[in-house]
Amino acid sequence: YSPNSKKRIYEEFFDKNGNIYCTKMFEDNEKNSLIYIQTYRHGRPHLTFKTEKQLFQHYFENKFNENDVVFCDARLLDKPLLNQQNKTKNILVFHSSHLNDNKTINQSYKMALENPQKVTQYLLLTEKQKSDILNVTNIDPDKISIIPHFIMPHQSTDNVEQLDRFVFIGRIAEEKQINHILYAYHNFLKSGFTTKLSIYGRDEFGQQRKLEQLIEELELQDNIDINGFTNNPLMEFQKSKASLLTSSFEGFGLSVMESINVGCPVISYDVRYGPSEIIDHGKNGYLVEQDNISELTKYMKLIIEQPLQNVHTKPELTFESAKQNYKQLFDSIEYSY
């Protein structure tokens, strides 16, 4: 590290026998940009790369063979993978939204979406994202497979104490928009309801303090408790009347799956992407128009007045469905297994 800026300026990498095989040099300035990467063979300088992507491409060209099936779920690796010389079967996996806040394509996804001729299959989690991609690209629909996350069955514990409360479990972060939950909950209480609210999660960048200040402003101190990270989210879901999700965006919404899987219905904003694929509106939860706090309040009231019965996971999100989906994917690319 630099004695002045305290930024990293030099890195060395050694194999298990103590032999150096790579070094990296960085600029000693605010950007701390990479200057070069030097690889070594038998203790002597071998190849030099200006960028990590050049190194990645070199590695791929030496690691892969013709017709290898390669799953790539990191957009940083798209360019070196798609530009390497071997004719591999490239399957690009999207775990989150390809869109910016203004609904244009995120720069990190452009390499993937603008070079479909180099991609064997795109693997997405939701039909809605597929529709959005087809609306702005010329990608062949047959090149896009939908395989949602799956969840294993969970045996609910019969002796769990049922509490009259809503619950939020997730990162206490700005994009989670937990303040929307507080405003909706405030309106909920003004209608004469007494159901409590519990919040579980790690604080990020001082967001918890902002929530605490809003709770004080709305005079909700006696109705809400904020807890730290929980090691047993399934138990907390199972104790609750319903869980709440008001994110501005989601990759898929694993907490929504976990909640429903133990019989706790979910009231969630219908954001890109995930909730609409997991929640069967009116059966295992409710989908709410994004950022519509009054509608969120409406469904909070409804779920207390008319609790949903027999809340369970949709068949499409089971392990058996996932196995069948992957079999179809491998059959479609003519992979022998």
Side-chain angles (χ1 to χ4, degrees):
Y1 289 84
S2 166
N4 299 317
S5 67
K6 304 298 188 284
K7 293 183 179 294
R8 61 178 179 172
I9 53 175
Y10 185 65
E11 293 180 347
E12 293 180 331
F13 298 81
F14 297 86
D15 64 22
K16 62 183 180 181
N17 296 317
N19 302 310
I20 193 167
Y21 68 87
C22 181
T23 60
K24 292 182 179 181
M25 288 287 294
F26 300 88
E27 295 179 355
D28 186 9
N29 55 25
E30 189 62 32
K31 284 189 173 182
N32 202 211
S33 301
L34 177 70
I35 300 173
Y36 68 85
I37 300 171
Q38 179 67 58
T39 63
Y40 294 81
R41 177 175 289 178
H42 307 305
R44 299 180 62 83
H46 178 49
L47 298 172
T48 305
F49 303 93
K50 291 184 178 180
T51 68
E52 285 189 321
K53 288 184 179 179
Q54 289 178 354
L55 173 61
F56 299 155
Q57 183 172 332
H58 171 75
Y59 174 80
F60 292 155
E61 289 175 345
N62 284 272
K63 183 69 174 178
F64 298 142
N65 297 310
E66 301 290 310
N67 291 317
D68 279 352
V69 177
V70 183
F71 285 79
C72 178
D73 65 358
R75 304 289 67 86
L76 174 68
L77 300 179
D78 287 341
K79 184 175 181 179
L81 174 63
L82 298 184
N83 285 341
Q84 54 97 17
Q85 298 303 308
N86 297 306
K87 293 182 179 179
T88 53
K89 294 182 177 180
N90 304 315
I91 300 176
L92 302 189
V93 185
F94 290 8
H95 284 303
S96 57
S97 175
H98 61 286
L99 299 173
N100 291 311
D101 292 339
N102 59 7
K103 306 306 184 212
T104 59
I105 295 177
N106 189 304
Q107 183 66 35
S108 63
Y109 282 82
K110 287 191 173 182
M111 182 67 192
L113 294 174
E114 292 177 356
N115 293 275
Q117 73 280 4
K118 298 180 179 181
V119 179
T120 304
Q121 280 286 298
Y122 295 90
L123 183 52
L124 312 183
L125 297 171
T126 69
E127 291 287 350
K128 185 176 285 188
Q129 187 169 22
K130 177 178 179 179
S131 176
D132 284 349
I133 288 174
L134 293 178
N135 284 337
V136 295
T137 69
N138 295 317
I139 295 174
D140 183 344
D142 291 338
K143 271 199 170 187
I144 302 180
S145 297
I146 308 299
I147 304 183
H149 289 312
F150 68 88
I151 192 164
M152 301 297 287
H154 177 80
Q155 188 64 43
S156 297
T157 307
D158 293 334
N159 61 355
V160 172
E161 179 187 6
Q162 295 295 308
L163 303 177
D164 183 21
R165 73 170 189 185
F166 295 112
V167 68
F168 166 85
I169 300 179
R171 293 178 296 110
I172 301 179
E174 185 175 7
E175 66 270 17
K176 295 298 183 180
Q177 299 189 145
I178 305 173
N179 60 322
H180 288 212
I181 294 177
L182 300 186
Y183 287 124
Y185 180 65
H186 181 246
N187 295 334
F188 169 84
L189 292 180
K190 286 196 299 183
S191 299
F193 293 88
T194 58
T195 302
K196 303 289 187 180
L197 170 62
S198 292
I199 297 171
Y200 291 86
R202 286 199 178 97
D203 180 32
E204 291 192 2
F205 307 109
Q207 288 299 308
Q208 181 170 328
R209 181 58 193 146
K210 292 182 179 179
L211 290 184
E212 291 168 344
Q213 291 172 343
L214 182 55
I215 289 170
E216 292 175 7
E217 291 174 17
L218 298 175
E219 299 181 348
L220 299 174
Q221 300 95 317
D222 295 335
N223 304 91
I224 300 176
D225 58 88
I226 299 182
N227 309 273
F229 175 82
T230 174
N231 287 314
N232 198 344
L234 300 184
M235 181 70 72
E236 300 305 332
F237 283 133
Q238 200 174 336
K239 289 178 182 178
S240 308
K241 297 285 188 180
S243 64
L244 308 172
L245 185 73
T246 50
S247 302
S248 55
F249 62 89
E250 281 289 335
F252 191 69
L254 292 178
S255 66
V256 178
M257 294 181 69
E258 290 175 335
S259 180
I260 291 172
N261 203 41
V262 295
C264 178
V266 182
I267 306 173
S268 171
Y269 280 168
D270 187 12
V271 294
R272 288 173 167 82
Y273 293 99
S276 62
E277 312 277 332
I278 306 169
I279 297 173
D280 193 350
H281 186 77
K283 294 183 178 180
N284 59 12
Y286 291 106
L287 292 167
V288 179
E289 180 185 20
Q290 186 171 357
D291 299 333
N292 191 330
I293 292 173
S294 62
E295 188 173 284
L296 177 61
T297 302
K298 181 184 83 170
Y299 284 115
M300 291 169 73
K301 296 176 185 177
L302 181 60
I303 213 161
I304 297 301
E305 293 175 332
Q306 302 176 32
L308 296 175
Q309 305 297 323
N310 300 318
V311 171
H312 61 269
T313 298
K314 294 168 70 173
E316 304 94 292
L317 305 178
T318 62
F319 178 54
E320 290 304 316
S321 291
K323 287 196 296 184
Q324 186 59 34
N325 288 335
Y326 274 102
K327 182 180 184 304
Q328 291 176 357
L329 172 65
F330 286 123
D331 287 344
S332 71
I333 63 173
E334 300 178 346
Y335 175 74
S336 298
Y337 52 92

